[in-house]
Every structure is written in structure tokens, then in C-alpha cells.
Amino acid sequence: MFILKNAQQFSHEMILSTNLENGLFIDATAGNGHDTLFLAQHIEKGSKILAFDIQESAILQTRQLLQNNDLEEKVTCILDSHAQISNYLEEKDFVRLAIFNLGYLPGSDKKIITTPSSTIEAIQILLDRLEKKGKIIIVSYYGHDGGLNEKNSVEGLISTLPQKEWSVLKYQFINQINCPPICYVIEKK
């Protein structure tokens, strides 16, 4: 029996549907480290993860979570914007999967948010560096100041991707109050 999942749970289902062996994975918004940890728990031999965040507290929390689970060797935590991803990739590197959680760091300053300009730049970099059958997963939390603008910018970009090259999914509950998060999945054909 299939039970409907929230956006974060669905994003994890999409991770698990990906080949997790011998690949490069990116958590573009490490935050509290939960997606980084999930990836680290499931990737297989030969895979590595780059986890980005602009807030030092997020990187420290992510490192601590990984250490507590004895998984820190699988991840390189990077204190930088996801818009700078290309600075951390070798020319030969292609990305198997990238995940974003757009919004603000829970339990932190709600004025520090992901922005349309850096997020769009990161997505465009990843579209160029994605493996065939690779995925970009974006969970958009848009119920805060600036969130709707970012959601609309992201959706505007990804809804125009040519369907011969890309499959783009929007997963959203439509009968829930308070701006329920949306999960977008982009897969390269």
C-alpha cells in the first residue's frame, strides 16, 4: 500500500530511487544536516558528498551530526554559497544527485534565507553537470518573506526545460494550509 508522503519524505524516496554507488552527490543547502546524513547513510562504496551552506552554524551542526553517526569521512562540508558549486568540481566531475531545501535554517535567523539569484545560478550549474538519469531535488519552503519569489523563480526556470531532455515533477499537497512545502524533481533523460 502506498501512503502519501510529505515533501521531505518524498525527496528521500527520490534519493533512494537513485543509483547510490560510485557517484558524486551534493547537498546544496546543508542546514541542520538531515539530508546530508540521509545521503551519507545510503550512499555506497566509491561515492562522495559535498555539503554546502553559507552559515557557519549550519556547517558545524552538519559536521557534528555526521560525527555522531560515524559518517564524516563520506562528506566534505563547504562553508560557501551553492552558487559557487562549480569552484569545487573537477572538470571531469558529473553529479548524480543534488538536493536543495529552500528557505531558512530552522532554529536560526529567519532573515537569512536562500535567494532566487544564488539558487537559480546553482541549478543552472547543476543542469550542465548532471549525469544522464541524474536528479536535482528541490524542496521549497516558501511561507516566509522572500520565499514565494524564490519558488516562482525556480518554477519559472524548471518548467521551461525541454521535455525531450528533462523530466520535471512537482509534488505538492493542494488542500493543506500555511504554504505546504513543494518538492520538485528534475531528471536528466
Side-chain angles (χ1 to χ4, degrees):
M1 177 164 87
F2 182 79
I3 297 173
L4 295 177
K5 302 192 174 7
N6 66 33
Q8 184 204 24
Q9 292 166 331
F10 185 75
S11 73
H12 286 186
E13 291 286 325
M14 292 296 95
I15 289 170
L16 294 175
S17 74
T18 303
N19 175 5
L20 300 173
E21 188 174 324
N22 294 318
L24 173 60
F25 299 82
I26 292 179
D27 186 346
T29 52
N32 288 318
H34 300 296
D35 287 335
T36 307
L37 176 63
F38 187 83
L39 279 166
Q41 289 171 326
H42 292 90
I43 64 170
E44 296 178 24
K45 189 176 182 178
S47 292
K48 67 177 181 176
I49 301 166
L50 303 179
F52 291 82
D53 209 288
I54 61 168
Q55 295 183 75
E56 188 173 12
S57 62
I59 293 297
L60 293 173
Q61 281 184 273
T62 300
R63 282 187 181 136
Q64 187 62 57
L65 189 60
L66 292 165
Q67 286 174 349
N68 291 348
N69 288 275
D70 198 28
L71 293 167
E72 65 270 19
E73 77 284 348
K74 293 183 175 185
V75 181
T76 301
C77 291
I78 300 167
L79 180 61
D80 204 349
S81 169
H82 49 230
Q84 302 302 316
I85 287 171
S86 60
N87 294 337
Y88 300 90
L89 299 177
E90 301 289 329
E91 193 173 318
K92 64 178 175 45
D93 287 339
F94 282 87
V95 176
R96 173 91 33 89
L97 179 138
I99 187 162
F100 293 75
N101 277 287
L102 305 179
Y104 57 85
L105 177 62
S108 186
D109 184 351
K110 293 181 181 180
K111 292 179 184 167
I112 301 173
I113 59 173
T114 54
T115 62
S117 60
S118 66
T119 298
I120 294 297
E121 188 171 347
I123 292 169
Q124 289 173 328
I125 291 165
L126 289 165
L127 289 170
D128 288 339
R129 300 299 291 267
L130 206 60
E131 290 182 358
K132 187 176 182 177
K133 299 294 181 195
K135 294 181 182 78
I136 301 171
I137 302 167
I138 305 161
V139 180
S140 177
Y141 297 88
Y142 60 96
H144 60 279
D145 287 342
L148 186 60
N149 184 31
E150 184 175 38
K151 177 193 83 69
N152 290 340
S153 295
V154 167
E155 194 165 316
L157 170 67
I158 66 177
S159 66
T160 63
L161 293 174
Q163 73 178 42
K164 287 187 177 185
E165 300 171 42
W166 305 95
S167 295
V168 181
L169 170 75
K170 179 180 180 180
Y171 180 87
Q172 175 185 30
F173 288 100
I174 60 173
N175 69 333
Q176 294 181 356
I177 61 170
N178 299 326
C179 303
I182 300 169
C183 183
Y184 301 98
V185 181
I186 305 162
E187 184 177 66
K188 186 172 186 176
K189 291 186 178 181

